[in-house]
Amino acid sequence: MDISQRLQQTINDLVDDRRGILAADESAPTIKKRFDAINLESTEENRRAYRSLLLETPGLGEFLSGVILFEETLGQKNAAGTPLAEVAWKQKIVPGIKVDKGTEKLVGAPGDLITKGLDGLADRLMTYIEQGARFAKWREVYPITATNPTALGLHANAERLAHYAATCQELGVVPIVEPEVLMDGKHDIERCEEITEGVLYAVFQALRQYGVILEQMILKPNMVKPNMVLPGKDCRTADPGEIADATIRVFRRTVPAAVPSINFLSGGQSPEEATINLNAINQIGGPWQLSISYGRALQQPVLEAWQGKAENIEAAESALLKRARLNALARQGRYNPGMETD
Ligand code: 13P
């Protein structure tokens, strides 16, 4: 297969109208935080055991088409000695890899961030390909304040995402392009919509400049939602219909129909909230597949059920299968919260 065929095969294996992607690519400090919450030490063996559990869940391939792994996991094996990337692909779950190296302050733009990791990226990708990775993920982060993101922030982050994506495609690796507008802080839905539109506009402009093939990439954005806790009787959780309207409106303005799939991050929403909102978004729909690339919203119930104990593996697997299945229904706009207790 030549490079273009390889890219297309990976897109075909990742994108359909039902399945989604699991983000299991927590860096060492992040997985430590997740394990701390269940009083489990973050040792290499515990991380291996946990990620084996995720990938060995029977039937998971029915609902998930891809998994994003952390570098360490790509080099790990299950108890039977099979590399975890192979374990995933046995279920037709395509293994991918997070390739960015986290964020630092963006010089010249107080309050903005920029993501590290472009140096030596092509060499690292070649190693990951040998280890079985077929797609990659890179995340740029945009905090919202009264003055952020700045014009420089929009430009510099978009540039980096495009440089990364072009580097991946040159080597036959499908890039997941993740511009994450942070849901933290206080902002209303209008502000989130305005920022997300500017971010995506800049990202697609840069992708074009770098010659990125839109048909052979995946976009991983946040949903457009408010983040305000209002006091007293004004307090309301965001309405899924309102979130879906704003989210689709922004995409229609900025994301070309050539992009095959948009896979949301969960960004701190509860598992149920993330599923309800995905369902509302799919009830509107668009020219792209509208799917998931959830981390916390798929894994939180799994960690709670597992608690680091071998005797809980079955309960943990069914917690994962349940969330994956309900999100597959939400992909079709056929989910309702009553299904949580079925
Ligand atoms: P969450 O779904 O937990 O936001 O994580 C997805 C992810 O990969 C963020 O980079």
Side-chain angles (χ1 to χ4, degrees):
M1 268 198 276
D2 66 20
I3 294 279
S4 164
Q5 287 167 331
R6 252 170 50 204
L7 288 168
Q8 194 52 48
Q9 186 58 52
T10 300
I11 288 289
N12 296 348
D13 289 336
L14 279 174
V15 179
D16 60 36
D17 63 0
R18 193 176 142 72
R19 299 185 299 161
I21 295 173
L22 164 66
D25 59 332
E26 297 82 6
S27 61
T30 306
I31 194 72
K32 179 178 181 311
K33 232 188 318 176
R34 307 277 184 265
F35 280 5
D36 281 350
I38 57 165
N39 286 316
L40 182 69
E41 202 190 334
S42 181
T43 60
E44 187 181 346
E45 175 49 27
N46 283 340
R47 293 191 294 271
R48 192 195 63 76
Y50 176 59
R51 276 131 179 187
S52 300
L53 175 168
L54 296 175
L55 299 174
E56 287 176 334
T57 296
L60 195 62
E62 197 184 325
F63 308 115
L64 294 183
S65 60
V67 61
I68 313 171
L69 303 172
F70 186 58
E71 192 173 25
E72 175 189 73
T73 315
L74 205 50
Q76 287 176 324
K77 298 177 173 154
N78 71 0
T82 309
L84 290 181
E86 253 176 66
V87 172
W89 184 237
K90 271 193 189 153
Q91 300 214 56
K92 293 284 178 271
I93 299 173
V94 182
I97 173 82
K98 180 231 290 292
V99 298
D100 66 69
K101 297 273 186 194
T103 59
E104 62 187 356
K105 287 182 185 167
L106 175 59
V107 63
D112 283 342
L113 299 168
I114 190 87
T115 299
K116 300 177 282 185
L118 271 187
D119 279 355
L121 176 60
D123 290 340
R124 285 196 287 129
L125 280 168
M126 310 263 258
T127 310
Y128 301 145
I129 293 168
E130 274 169 32
Q131 292 175 301
R134 294 171 56 197
F135 70 96
K137 185 198 90 167
W138 180 289
R139 171 174 176 257
E140 294 289 333
V141 183
Y142 304 79
I144 301 186
T145 71
T147 49
N148 299 97
T150 63
L152 173 60
L154 289 180
H155 173 77
N157 281 276
E159 179 92 359
R160 214 157 270 198
L161 274 171
H163 192 153
Y164 140 80
T167 307
C168 285
Q169 285 190 340
E170 238 177 56
L171 294 170
V173 173
V174 166
I176 294 189
V177 171
E178 181 181 8
E180 177 175 3
V181 177
L182 284 185
M183 295 185 193
D184 322 345
K186 261 193 188 173
H187 53 261
D188 55 22
I189 194 166
E190 287 78 15
R191 177 92 177 125
C192 185
E193 180 170 345
E194 180 196 334
I195 301 290
T196 307
E197 186 175 332
V199 163
L200 291 176
Y201 185 82
V203 166
F204 280 96
Q205 198 174 22
L207 289 171
R208 176 168 159 70
Q209 281 168 341
Y210 277 78
V212 172
I213 304 152
L214 299 181
E215 289 82 353
Q216 293 175 330
M217 60 160 274
I218 288 174
L219 178 69
K220 176 166 174 169
N222 49 282
M223 292 174 186
V224 176
K225 64 191 287 288
N227 199 55
M228 306 183 78
V229 182
L230 301 171
K233 64 176 168 29
D234 287 336
C235 182
R236 61 178 182 102
T237 49
D239 168 47
E242 201 184 341
I243 291 171
D245 281 341
T247 302
I248 294 292
R249 185 163 53 235
V250 168
F251 292 169
R252 284 188 181 282
R253 289 179 178 169
T254 54
V255 184
V259 174
S261 189
I262 299 177
N263 292 54
F264 293 100
L265 56 98
S266 59
Q269 302 177 84
S270 74
E272 292 80 10
E273 195 186 353
T275 308
I276 291 171
N277 290 334
L278 179 72
N279 190 66
I281 286 170
N282 272 288
Q283 282 176 343
I284 304 178
W288 336 263
Q289 292 296 325
L290 293 156
S291 184
I292 60 168
S293 175
Y294 290 165
R296 282 163 288 178
L298 283 173
Q299 292 185 60
Q300 190 186 311
V302 186
L303 283 163
E304 280 163 15
W306 181 49
Q307 298 286 325
K309 300 196 174 98
E311 66 263 31
N312 294 337
I313 287 180
E314 221 168 292
E317 288 177 343
S318 49
L320 177 59
L321 215 50
K322 174 180 168 185
R323 287 264 55 89
R325 182 174 56 79
L326 292 177
N327 280 300
L329 285 166
R331 292 252 1 239
Q332 328 252 328
R334 294 198 293 125
Y335 165 83
N336 72 67
M339 294 169 172
E340 293 289 341
T341 47
D342 281 355

